[in-house]
């Protein structure tokens, strides 16, 4: 059996990834509305497949003789995965892992950085983002991280309202309007 040159391996890898992405894109386009009770079940299947494809491409991209086409394909798969995870995180019934992933990506943080900040193992972060369920203690730590980072795009509905936020300025002209501190002297800005 003859060994393929690196460019040949790369073109095969990219071709297979493009074929897979064609199917994943069709599946994503066919997903029901996020409010549909079947949305997460169907999205999770696509996300699992995209994770496998992303891992394979990341391995191929890390090889010494990788090519720009492999790197570009990996980038495209990651973008599509991130987009679907963001959509899943914003949907009713999203998992804590989906919310964490969307928040982490929006904050431009790695799983390692979030794990260190939360005092949790990085493998746990990866497992949760892949659909595992955290313990109550882990969930509390992760909610604190998500809150500290301001939540991910589209996850505003997941944030808990502050209990003691005044909605009107105080008589001295200072206070909060819509949760933002304002001062009469500052003109409300």
């Amino acid at each position: 059996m003859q060994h393929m040159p690196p460019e040949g391996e790369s073109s095969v890898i990219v071709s297979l990834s493009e074929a897979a992405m064609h199917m994943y894109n069709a599946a994503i386009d066919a997903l029901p509305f996020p409010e549909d009770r079947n949305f997460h079940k169907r999205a999770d299947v696509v996300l699992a497949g995209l994770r496998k494809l992303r891992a394979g491409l990341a391995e191929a991209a890390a090889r010494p003789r990788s090519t720009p086409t492999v790197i570009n394909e990996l980038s495209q798969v990651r973008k599509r995965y991130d987009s679907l995870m963001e959509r899943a995180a914003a949907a009713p019934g999203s998992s804590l892992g989906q919310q964490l992933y969307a928040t982490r990506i929006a904050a431009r943080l790695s799983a390692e950085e979030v794990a260190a900040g939360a005092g949790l193992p990085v493998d746990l972060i990866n497992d949760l983002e892949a659909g595992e369920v955290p313990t109550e203690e882990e969930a509390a730590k992760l909610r604190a991280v998500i809150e500290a980072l301001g939540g991910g795009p589209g996850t505003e509905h997941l944030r808990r309202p502050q209990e003691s936020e005044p909605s009107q300025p105080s008589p001295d002209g200072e206070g909060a309007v819509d949760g933002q501190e304002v001062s009469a002297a500052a003109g409300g800005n």
Side-chain angles (χ1 to χ4, degrees):
M1 184 172 176
Q2 199 172 20
H3 181 70
M4 279 193 215
E7 293 80 22
E9 289 176 0
S10 293
S11 68
V12 169
I13 290 168
V14 170
S15 292
L16 290 172
S17 176
E18 287 174 343
M21 283 306 296
H22 178 76
M23 298 305 293
Y24 288 129
N25 285 329
I28 291 168
D29 292 344
L31 285 172
F33 289 108
E35 296 78 19
D36 188 293
R37 64 184 175 97
N38 292 317
F39 173 80
H40 281 289
K41 186 171 124 180
R42 291 181 54 195
D44 288 348
V45 170
V46 176
L47 287 165
L50 286 172
R51 273 190 294 277
K52 289 178 183 177
L53 182 58
R54 183 181 65 178
L57 285 168
E59 186 177 324
R63 288 185 172 186
R65 293 187 182 183
S66 185
T67 65
T69 57
V70 172
I71 302 298
N72 183 55
E73 189 65 18
L74 174 59
S75 174
Q76 296 307 311
V77 170
R78 283 182 175 163
K79 287 176 186 176
R80 193 64 163 147
Y81 181 83
D82 292 352
S83 173
L84 182 54
M85 277 293 273
E86 188 176 300
R87 186 173 161 195
S94 63
S95 72
L96 188 60
Q98 291 167 332
Q99 296 167 35
L100 177 63
Y101 186 88
T103 301
R104 178 175 72 74
I105 294 303
R108 306 292 193 263
L109 295 172
S110 69
E112 292 81 8
E113 292 162 337
V114 168
L120 296 168
V122 70
D123 288 343
L124 176 65
I125 301 300
N126 291 326
D127 291 345
L128 294 173
E129 291 178 352
E132 295 295 319
V133 179
T135 65
E136 285 301 317
E137 182 181 337
E138 294 163 346
K141 289 179 179 183
L142 295 171
R143 281 189 198 99
V145 168
I146 291 168
E147 188 174 318
L149 295 173
T155 62
E156 294 81 11
H157 68 284
L158 302 170
R159 295 187 194 131
R160 295 182 183 161
Q162 299 288 333
E163 292 181 22
S164 61
E165 284 185 358
S167 58
Q168 299 296 320
S170 63
D172 63 0
E174 295 186 8
V177 175
D178 294 330
Q180 301 291 322
E181 287 295 322
V182 294
S183 167
N189 290 335

